[in-house]
Amino acid sequence: MADADGPRDLEAAAGGFSAIGSTLHSAARMGARRGLQALSRVNQPGGFDCPGCAWPEAREHGAIEFCENGAKAVAHEGTRRRLGRDLLARTSVRELLAHDDHWLEAQGRLVEPIVRRAGATHFEPIGWDEAFARVAAELRDLDSPDQAVFYTSGRASNEAAFLWQLFARQLGTNNLPDCSNLCHESSGEGLGEAIGVGKGTVSLEDIERAGAIFVIGQNPGSNHPRMLTTLAAAKRRGARIVAINPLRERGLVRFAHPQDPLALLGRATAIADLYLQVRVGGDIALLKGIMKEVLAAEARDPGRVLDWRFLREHTQGFEALRADLEAQRFEELESRSGIPRRAMREAAEIYCAADGSVACWAMGITQHEHGVANVQEILNLLLLRGNIGRPGAGPCPVRGHSNVQGDRTVGITERPGPAFLARLGAEFDFEPPSAPGLDTVGAIGALRDGGVRVFLALGGNFAVATPDTQATAAALGRCRLAVQIATTLNRTPLLAGRDALVLPCLARSERDLQMGGEQFVTVEDSMSVVHASRGRLTPASVALRSEPAIVAGLAAAALRERSRVPWLALVEDYDRIRERIERVIPGFEDFARRARAPSGFVLPSGARVRRFETPSGRAHFHVHPLPEDSLAPGRFLLTTIRSHDQFNTTVYGFDDRLRGLRGDRRVVLLHPDDLAAAGLRAGQGVDLTSHFRAETRTLRGFSTVPYDLPRRCAAAYFPEANGLVPVASVAERSRTPTYKSIEISVTPAANLE
Ligand SMILES: Nc1nc2c(c(=O)[nH]1)N[C@H]1C(S)=C(S)[C@@H](COP(=O)(O)OP(=O)(O)OC[C@H]3O[C@@H](n4cnc5c(=O)[nH]c(N)nc54)[C@H](O)[C@@H]3O)O[C@H]1N2
Ligand SMILES: Nc1nc2c(c(=O)[nH]1)N[C@H]1C(S)=C(S)[C@@H](COP(=O)(O)OP(=O)(O)OC[C@H]3O[C@@H](n4cnc5c(=O)[nH]c(N)nc54)[C@H](O)[C@@H]3O)O[C@H]1N2
Ligand SMILES: [Mo]
């Protein structure tokens, strides 16, 4: 299906020459030899897991398995720049805060533990033992263990994360918020209720076999580039692809594989057969419209469209869904979604003609007030034709951070189940706390109210990734001690109220030497494949410690005789941690051996074989009302997006090649007619004001970009726009911030003279 394009078209495709150039540029930043050595190890057996996204590796190894983004992530941690003592001695915390995050990250790798002591203006070096002792003293001084919060970002390995949650629970708290609360929580919630497991059910082979692939609210060209290889291959063997996205994202339109010789000759593969530019927040209306057309097809051809046998044997709630769909009017669905009925029908035809359908989705679906409902409407569509638990079919929430799924599997959650707690308690001979802890949004509130005195983070950049940047910064300022385990310096520890400790760790790509020899860790990708990741590069500094070693050091110092866990012995040889994981978490039988298999192993899931672990034993349809249309006249529904030149809060550069934007990320994308109607010009300076209940928040210094997106929608970059998102504006049930639907007004820049 590949169609030939001229060189100019190729420039406009995702991948292609520009991606190669950008990749080599990244490698060069590490020093050419070290760079290429590192890149040749990414996602290879015996190598390390790409610290970029969570898209699975192809099973046949030998192929080069990294992309432009992976190269950037590897180059970022492999940089030769070091954030040394001299810089910290001459730059006060206040001065550090005056720099943006791009500058902070660009100072390079941390080389030793650093502390800002109460009352001090600067960070200074501190020894590991003293650092651990300070944290221990502060934790022991708490009135209640619930005054501590243990945040986790999804790059942490299974081994580090398992020890982290054990530390928190032995201290006595379930305050384990994580980046997943900001990310796929709506997927976990929606899937869990509908099919009994909060994960996707498909494998790469399923995508390779699917007749139709829906890519909804996801931008693989920027965020999961290796997925485009899979999609292009699916296309070539005849699969049909439907993209649902307010923006026409390049990677979903056409793709040239940077390592494909044909691409070098000027060929790109067209990806989407049907591109539905849905209004921001219009997915429920659109999915209902598509499902109405599926029911209409069934009415025309009774017994041939729906999978009646599957519906009878394995599902519950179909009649209620049908009644709801019959009551919906197409005019309403069209105006809410912005998609004409004929396009809904076309999507339904593609869906009904396919033997198996896979639905992939990401943040465009989850980060809405109706995120859980969005997910369940996707599941409704899949269930109608039995598209789950058979080859070439199923739900596929595409995860972000490379081990965010694994972290949840090994116990990073603020709401642990009783069975898990019982096994954890039995294994380590203690009584784990059962009361639910704080999630990420809850943690911001508790910090603000003075209920959190110690904030600890295993990676991530809590202050910048969360909503309401100003308010969250102020909230962090109320804790007594912030402890950040990190590879680079970011804003979060700079905002701590009194003391701040930054504990520098080894990066994924670096050699991890413990008493028991060289170690590897494990991660789980988006498709439940667990495999080893072994760093090979020389660490950025001799003083760095591994994440498991830092967590064990902290726990041993803080818990002392209160804990019967042999913390330090566990990290001498990570197989000892894996033995414990095996005894606590189902599905990890024979973990140490299977972790060494070149392609790892797949965690079992009932839903994959149509054994739905819901109370009824069936998969459930869910009926959700159309969300109210509450956008006030003259306002826009803002969505926040990523570029390929960032990894979340780490901004590598200011270009967005794939969207044709250069040099500036403080922009707001609007439809040209909306710009004109508002009396605004392209490139004009504007202020953005968000409106939530009676509250407003304003960010200044943005400029307008006319862009191809639906009327009354707007887009701006994460994290620049986070100050507009109210902490209290969260998804129903999953409590994910509504980063993808914020009501804003756009006004000419105020003259501040
Ligand atoms: N290069 C790079 N790679 C990354 C990351 C990164 O920052 N940079 N981050 C990683 C992480 S943690 C994650 S979670 C993933 C995120 O991966 P994605 O979810 O793909 O990333 P986003 O840019 O947040 O937004 C996704 C898409 O949703 C669309 N969208 C916005 N609103 C709506 C809506 O209402 N409906 C629909 N249907 N679509 C909508 C946007 O136009 C955008 O194309 O990527 C991971 N990979
Ligand atoms: N407006 C808006 N906000 C969003 C989103 C959005 O779409 N829109 N998306 C949300 C999503 S999906 C997510 S996942 C969150 C991300 O939230 P987080 O996971 O908290 O943030 P990151 O930016 O991924 O974290 C970057 C930091 O991780 C540290 N780091 C890097 N590698 C390592 C390592 O190997 N070990 C350790 N210990 N630290 C390391 C570095 O110091 C770096 O500064 O942001 C959320 N925020
Ligand atoms: Mo994410």
Side-chain angles (χ1 to χ4, degrees):
M1 284 278 251
D3 53 359
D5 296 294
R8 217 153 22 98
D9 247 19
L10 195 67
E11 259 304 295
F17 287 125
S18 320
I20 299 177
S22 181
T23 304
L24 291 177
H25 183 73
S26 302
R29 278 200 315 212
M30 299 174 67
R33 229 185 105 229
R34 188 173 151 89
L36 291 174
Q37 187 194 355
L39 291 178
S40 68
R41 294 281 186 189
V42 180
N43 293 341
Q44 298 295 323
F48 60 91
D49 182 61
C50 180
C53 71
W55 188 253
E57 283 82 63
R59 287 305 182 86
E60 70 281 8
H61 283 286
I64 304 175
E65 268 295 326
F66 62 88
C67 66
E68 173 186 356
N69 292 350
K72 280 185 196 149
V74 171
H76 187 67
E77 63 180 48
T79 176
R80 283 173 295 183
R81 297 202 62 170
R82 301 287 177 264
L83 187 118
R85 288 183 184 194
D86 39 339
L87 181 96
L88 293 172
R90 61 170 193 268
T91 321
S92 68
V93 174
R94 190 190 293 244
E95 286 163 340
L96 289 172
L97 275 171
H99 287 287
D100 62 15
D101 292 85
H102 179 69
W103 185 91
L104 288 175
E105 294 270 352
Q107 300 318 301
R109 291 286 300 278
L110 294 155
V111 291
E112 59 187 342
I114 53 176
V115 62
R116 195 200 72 199
R117 297 175 201 270
T121 54
H122 289 67
F123 272 97
E124 58 184 296
I126 181 174
W128 281 104
D129 288 343
E130 195 197 337
F132 290 158
R134 284 183 81 90
V135 182
E138 205 68 61
L139 287 175
R140 275 199 301 270
D141 199 36
L142 298 177
D143 303 324
S144 146
D146 290 329
Q147 290 173 317
V149 160
F150 291 75
Y151 178 70
T152 313
S153 170
R155 204 172 272 186
S157 63
N158 291 331
E159 290 74 8
F162 183 75
L163 294 185
W164 188 240
Q165 60 82 34
L166 180 61
F167 176 19
R169 295 193 164 110
Q170 289 220 319
L171 187 75
T173 183
N174 281 315
N175 285 347
L176 284 154
D178 68 349
C179 69
S180 200
N181 294 144
L182 309 175
C183 186
H184 264 295
E185 194 72 63
S186 304
S187 304
E189 193 75 27
L191 284 159
E193 202 179 39
I195 62 166
V197 57
K199 301 181 184 181
T201 66
V202 306
S203 64
L204 267 188
E205 291 75 37
D206 288 320
I207 300 199
E208 282 155 17
R209 290 174 69 151
I213 303 167
F214 285 72
V215 183
I216 315 178
Q218 193 208 340
N219 179 18
S222 296
N223 302 313
H224 304 91
R226 287 181 297 114
M227 177 175 171
L228 290 184
T229 315
T230 314
L231 291 180
K235 256 321 266 269
R236 271 184 243 118
R237 56 142 188 86
R240 313 216 46 211
I241 296 178
V242 179
I244 300 180
N245 197 312
L247 273 61
R248 268 183 82 77
E249 304 284 22
R250 284 284 160 72
L252 290 171
V253 177
R254 50 181 64 256
F255 168 60
H257 195 300
Q259 291 146 15
D260 178 355
L262 281 183
L264 296 178
L265 293 176
R267 274 165 175 253
T269 308
I271 298 288
D273 295 274
L274 180 64
Y275 207 115
L276 304 176
Q277 276 185 276
V278 68
R279 286 184 56 190
V280 169
D283 298 273
I284 294 179
L286 174 57
L287 288 160
K288 281 185 193 286
I290 297 173
M291 285 189 278
K292 260 177 99 73
E293 289 291 356
V294 174
L295 293 192
E298 168 70 22
R300 287 192 298 274
D301 195 4
R304 308 289 293 274
V305 174
L306 303 186
D307 185 341
W308 287 103
R309 185 154 169 214
F310 174 77
L311 293 178
R312 260 194 322 272
E313 288 175 7
H314 292 292
T315 70
Q316 182 169 312
F318 169 68
E319 284 311 324
L321 180 84
R322 168 150 59 188
D324 169 68
L325 291 174
E326 279 169 1
Q328 302 289 338
R329 290 180 311 109
F330 270 111
E331 303 75 62
E332 178 83 9
L333 300 178
E334 287 183 312
S335 78
R336 292 302 189 77
S337 63
I339 302 295
R341 179 174 176 183
R342 104 188 106 64
M344 294 175 180
R345 175 174 291 198
E346 232 182 294
E349 280 164 5
I350 292 177
Y351 177 66
C352 294
D355 183 26
S357 290
V358 165
C360 302
W361 72 87
M363 299 302 101
I365 283 299
T366 62
Q367 295 173 331
H368 291 278
E369 187 181 346
H370 307 288
V372 176
N374 281 342
V375 169
Q376 293 187 335
E377 294 289 0
I378 296 174
L379 294 172
N380 287 342
L381 176 65
L382 290 174
L383 292 177
L384 286 178
R385 285 178 43 80
N387 276 310
I388 186 166
R390 65 184 171 96
C396 179
V398 181
R399 305 278 161 175
H401 267 298
S402 49
N403 195 39
V404 62
Q405 185 159 318
D407 291 346
R408 275 290 163 93
T409 302
V410 301
I412 301 293
T413 169
E414 76 283 359
R415 291 174 295 169
F420 164 75
L421 289 179
R423 285 191 305 268
L424 189 72
E427 175 64 24
F428 295 102
D429 195 12
F430 78 114
E431 183 86 41
S434 57
L438 295 167
D439 61 9
T440 299
V441 161
I444 298 171
L447 279 159
R448 179 194 59 214
D449 300 339
V452 177
R453 289 183 7 201
V454 183
F455 172 86
L456 306 103
L458 179 57
N461 189 0
F462 184 90
V464 184
T466 49
D468 214 341
T469 319
Q470 290 277 352
T472 302
L476 270 169
R478 299 208 56 191
C479 75
R480 278 208 236 158
L481 171 67
V483 182
Q484 179 81 33
I485 302 171
T487 47
T488 49
L489 187 62
N490 64 40
R491 193 159 296 269
T492 301
L494 302 180
L495 293 163
R498 209 189 57 190
D499 292 27
L501 270 171
V502 184
L503 306 178
C505 63
L506 293 174
R508 264 286 163 82
S509 49
E510 292 169 344
R511 191 176 310 124
D512 182 353
L513 200 57
Q514 303 294 335
M515 294 283 273
E518 218 171 278
Q519 304 298 315
F520 67 91
V521 293
T522 60
V523 294
E524 174 185 344
D525 67 29
S526 246
M527 294 178 180
S528 308
V529 180
V530 178
H531 64 86
S533 172
R534 188 188 286 273
R536 301 282 188 174
L537 299 183
T538 308
S541 151
V542 288
L544 300 183
R545 295 199 180 173
S546 75
E547 287 181 337
I550 295 172
V551 175
L554 285 168
L559 301 169
R560 287 199 292 209
E561 63 288 342
R562 277 175 55 196
S563 172
R564 280 185 283 266
V565 177
W567 291 99
L568 302 180
L570 283 180
V571 292
E572 286 176 1
D573 178 348
Y574 297 172
D575 274 344
R576 294 179 189 159
I577 308 174
R578 286 186 276 270
E579 266 168 39
R580 303 303 188 115
I581 293 177
E582 176 173 343
R583 289 208 286 265
V584 176
I585 317 281
F588 282 87
E589 293 73 25
D590 203 7
F591 187 13
R593 188 186 61 80
R594 288 197 296 162
R596 288 172 166 81
S599 306
F601 62 96
V602 184
L603 288 174
S605 142
R608 218 183 285 134
V609 289
R610 296 190 166 178
R611 219 180 45 238
F612 299 107
E613 283 153 19
T614 55
S616 65
R618 288 162 173 267
H620 289 225
F621 286 99
H622 285 90
V623 173
H624 295 281
L626 271 189
E628 267 172 59
D629 185 5
S630 56
L631 191 63
R635 297 208 182 135
F636 302 94
L637 204 54
L638 174 79
T639 190
T640 56
I641 51 176
R642 299 161 157 78
S643 81
H644 63 88
D645 224 1
Q646 73 184 93
F647 194 89
N648 297 339
T649 68
T650 305
V651 174
Y652 304 125
F654 293 83
D655 293 339
D656 190 343
R657 192 183 72 238
L658 295 177
R659 296 197 182 97
L661 308 176
R662 288 198 187 270
D664 189 9
R665 291 174 46 94
R666 230 177 148 77
V667 290
V668 58
L669 280 45
L670 293 165
H671 190 283
D673 295 345
D674 279 334
L675 269 181
L680 296 168
R681 282 172 290 106
Q684 180 169 347
V686 287
D687 297 337
L688 308 182
T689 301
S690 66
H691 305 265
F692 178 70
R693 298 179 187 152
E695 303 164 21
T696 60
R697 286 167 181 75
T698 297
L699 292 181
R700 305 192 190 281
F702 279 75
S703 56
T704 59
V705 172
Y707 203 82
D708 179 10
L709 78 179
R711 295 293 303 268
R712 307 201 61 205
C713 299
Y717 287 111
F718 152 51
E720 283 78 358
N722 282 37
L724 295 170
V725 188
V727 176
S729 178
V730 294
E732 285 162 10
R733 308 218 340 260
S734 67
R735 289 168 46 88
T736 300
T738 60
Y739 295 126
K740 297 281 191 278
S741 45
I742 311 145
E743 182 167 343
I744 62 161
S745 48
V746 183
T747 48
N751 188 344
L752 295 175
E753 244 58 1

